Amino acid sequence: MAKAVLPPLPYGYNALEPWIDEQTMHLHHDKHHQAYLDNLLKAITGTEFENVDPAKLLSDLVKIPEKIRGIVRNHGGGFVNHSLFWEVMAPKAGGTPTGDLAKALDKAFGGFEAFKEKFAAAAAGQFGSGWAWLVVKHDGSLALYNLPNQDSPLSSGDHPVLGLDVWEHAYYLKYQNRRAEYIANWWNVINWDKVAELYKAARK
Ligand code: MN
């Protein structure tokens, strides 16, 4: 592939109001996400990794030379994680998943409400900056956990299908220290059709 570029938001900056505010979306996408990409490109430009899909770099982190591995992990992770984050949200979304994904959530977590509770606990329980993740494991089953910083589930061989950014930059302007309220409101903007699509693709 060609050099990675910043994907545009798939909706307007104010489209996730009132749950996620316009100013946060501007800063989060245009400044934070852009900076992760810029720092990644600075480290890999002129190397054999320049045109490799950043997701692939994260999957093969052990093959990245030690000198730039930390940058790929942190900034490549930041780039790939946020690219997914914008996609799994949408305006006028939320609700409940359907079809195979709903069945898989029932099987793995004992129902959608139980899943929500466990996922929210993982997001709230991430000490400091990080993400809560819903992933497809090697055997096709679902699992959830939190990871610090911008660590990607791809680096453990898992396929992320839903991620919640709990870095303060994701919510502090609107929610200040109230991370739990941000997490509770976030369910209103989840694009379950997209999550179902990623789930299907990950199991192929
Ligand atoms: Mn973020």
Side-chain angles (χ1 to χ4, degrees), residues 15 42 51 72 81 88 107 127 155 159 172 178 197-198:
K42 217 185 287 171
N51 295 316
V72 170
N81 292 343
V88 296
K107 190 176 168 206
F127 182 74
S155 302
H159 285 274
Y172 212 83
R178 303 186 308 278
E197 189 187 309
L198 293 168

Side-chain angles (χ1 to χ4, degrees), residues 28 36 82 131 150 165 167 169-170:
H28 204 174
Y36 291 123
H82 288 84
W131 293 67
Q150 297 295 351
D165 187 347
W167 282 58
H169 69 222

Side-chain angles (χ1 to χ4, degrees), residues 8 14 22 51 57 84 98 117 127-128 160 168 174 179 183 191 195 200-201:
N14 64 354
E22 179 173 3
N51 295 316
L57 298 179
L84 177 81
T98 55
E117 215 169 284
F127 182 74
E168 285 186 345
K174 182 177 172 68
R179 187 193 282 192
I183 295 167
N191 180 355
V195 180
K200 194 174 169 192

